[in-house]
Amino acid sequence: MEATTKNSAVSRELMDWVVPLGPYDCLLNTVTFCLSRHHADPNPLYRYNFSINYYAGYDWFDSTVPVNELFSFIRRAYGVRLEPCRLDSMVSGRMYLLPVDAYYVPYMKEFYGKGHMLHYVLAEAEDDQSLRVTDPYFATSLLADRTCVEQAWRTFSEPVIEISPPLSLNPDLNSIRPYLTTQPYEELLPVTFARISERIMDVGAYRESENLMDNPVFKQQFGCIRTIALSRLRHFGTCSTMDYAHLGSAWRKLEVSFMKMTISLDRGVTATVNHLKQIAEDELAYLHSYATGGR
């Protein structure tokens, strides 16, 4: 996706914006940036966005609610209109959530020309030949030729979504419950944490001469942990009681344990697995607090 940079109002807004979530929460970062441009409070979204998922086919874990549930929530809470559209129907004066393949995105150096990954950016039509592409996580805003953008979009061919300004800027935070409380979390949470723990132990079995920091599985798992850590930090930051607010730092501490594997593999694995077990118990108790009226 070849591009030429150009100063714009979006570029200036990016300079003053602090990225709230991690590298693999690109859709949430993009939606949050859209809300912030209209001075909408993101905390209701952070409160709702609480899940835990493991995708065996991709060896991937995250804490983001399903896309359809996310879209349903922001429609409901913020009065945002989300309309699927064709790539060639994007017009000036409107904002779009644009799914692209990181393989074709030059500033995503870890994936560019190396690996395929679905990545969301914000897009506006400049004219018939070019789009203004904004990536909140990478603090990048650039002009891209529509033909090049189409190449980056074609791999996954996910719908382009037109996103309207929010009608409600301050949804009632106290009325919002974490997404996972609407699911059979007592079954889902322990099973998912157990699978994540197994994958971490598999990394612990790594005994090659290559530096562990260069191992792609290690790097991917660290990226997953960091993304969940930032998401949980935002989520628990919406809690008004200290009983649960401290849980926001638990995943950040897990990052430290995970990195200790590069110093002492066996000790690092043991510390990470034990820490993950404690997080699972604490988060289960947290979700119970909604069911029992303890909140």
Side-chain angles (χ1 to χ4, degrees), residues 19 62 136 186 229 232 248:
V19 182
D62 68 24
E186 291 178 307
R232 288 296 200 258

Side-chain angles (χ1 to χ4, degrees), residues 97-139:
L97 302 174
L98 175 64
V100 296
D101 183 357
Y103 184 92
Y104 298 101
V105 182
Y107 58 81
M108 295 186 68
K109 299 188 184 301
E110 187 176 346
F111 291 92
Y112 182 51
K114 302 174 185 176
H116 299 278
M117 185 181 77
L118 180 64
H119 184 70
Y120 278 88
V121 295
L122 191 64
E124 303 171 85
E126 286 281 327
D127 51 45
D128 292 340
Q129 286 76 42
S130 59
L131 299 174
R132 162 70 53 188
V133 174
T134 301
D135 192 323
Y137 182 78
F138 289 95

Side-chain angles (χ1 to χ4, degrees), residues 79-229:
V80 167
R81 181 174 53 82
L82 297 161
E83 296 291 343
C85 66
R86 301 192 317 273
L87 185 66
D88 60 6
S89 68
M90 296 170 62
V91 296
S92 61
R94 300 180 184 179
M95 304 294 293
Y96 300 88
L97 302 174
L98 175 64
V100 296
D101 183 357
Y103 184 92
Y104 298 101
V105 182
Y107 58 81
M108 295 186 68
K109 299 188 184 301
E110 187 176 346
F111 291 92
Y112 182 51
K114 302 174 185 176
H116 299 278
M117 185 181 77
L118 180 64
H119 184 70
Y120 278 88
V121 295
L122 191 64
E124 303 171 85
E126 286 281 327
D127 51 45
D128 292 340
Q129 286 76 42
S130 59
L131 299 174
R132 162 70 53 188
V133 174
T134 301
D135 192 323
Y137 182 78
F138 289 95
T140 297
S141 183
L142 47 81
L143 279 179
D145 183 84
R146 283 181 183 253
T147 302
C148 296
V149 172
E150 182 179 2
Q151 181 186 41
W153 169 83
R154 193 182 298 122
T155 304
F156 299 103
S157 297
E158 290 288 321
V160 177
I161 306 293
E162 180 185 342
I163 180 168
S164 72
L167 297 177
S168 174
L169 302 183
N170 294 284
D172 180 16
L173 181 62
N174 293 326
S175 68
I176 295 167
R177 297 162 64 95
Y179 163 77
L180 208 53
T181 62
T182 67
Q183 306 300 307
Y185 64 84
E186 291 178 307
E187 302 171 16
L188 291 173
L189 194 143
V191 169
T192 305
F193 270 98
R195 289 176 177 171
I196 295 172
S197 182
E198 288 171 3
R199 292 302 296 123
I200 289 172
M201 287 189 286
D202 286 344
V203 173
Y206 180 78
R207 289 294 187 273
E208 300 297 326
S209 57
E210 178 190 29
N211 189 317
L212 186 62
M213 290 283 285
D214 296 326
N215 180 276
V217 175
F218 178 87
K219 290 196 292 186
Q220 177 174 301
Q221 290 197 6
F222 181 76
C224 291
I225 291 173
R226 169 157 289 181
T227 299
I228 295 175

Side-chain angles (χ1 to χ4, degrees), residues 17 19-36 42 45-46 48-49 53 55 60 62-75 78 80-83 95-100 102 107-108 117-123 134-138 158-163 227 231:
W17 194 66
V19 182
L21 301 167
Y24 300 143
D25 264 342
C26 53
L27 178 56
L28 274 167
N29 277 323
T30 303
V31 169
T32 306
F33 181 67
C34 284
L35 294 175
S36 74
L45 177 58
Y46 300 154
Y48 180 72
N49 183 48
N53 316 289
Y55 305 98
W60 191 275
D62 68 24
S63 59
T64 305
V65 303
V67 173
N68 288 341
E69 296 293 342
L70 170 66
F71 286 167
S72 177
F73 173 78
I74 61 175
R75 285 189 182 105
Y78 292 96
V80 167
R81 181 174 53 82
L82 297 161
E83 296 291 343
M95 304 294 293
Y96 300 88
L97 302 174
L98 175 64
V100 296
Y107 58 81
M108 295 186 68
M117 185 181 77
L118 180 64
H119 184 70
Y120 278 88
V121 295
L122 191 64
T134 301
D135 192 323
Y137 182 78
F138 289 95
E158 290 288 321
V160 177
I161 306 293
E162 180 185 342
I163 180 168
T227 299
S231 177

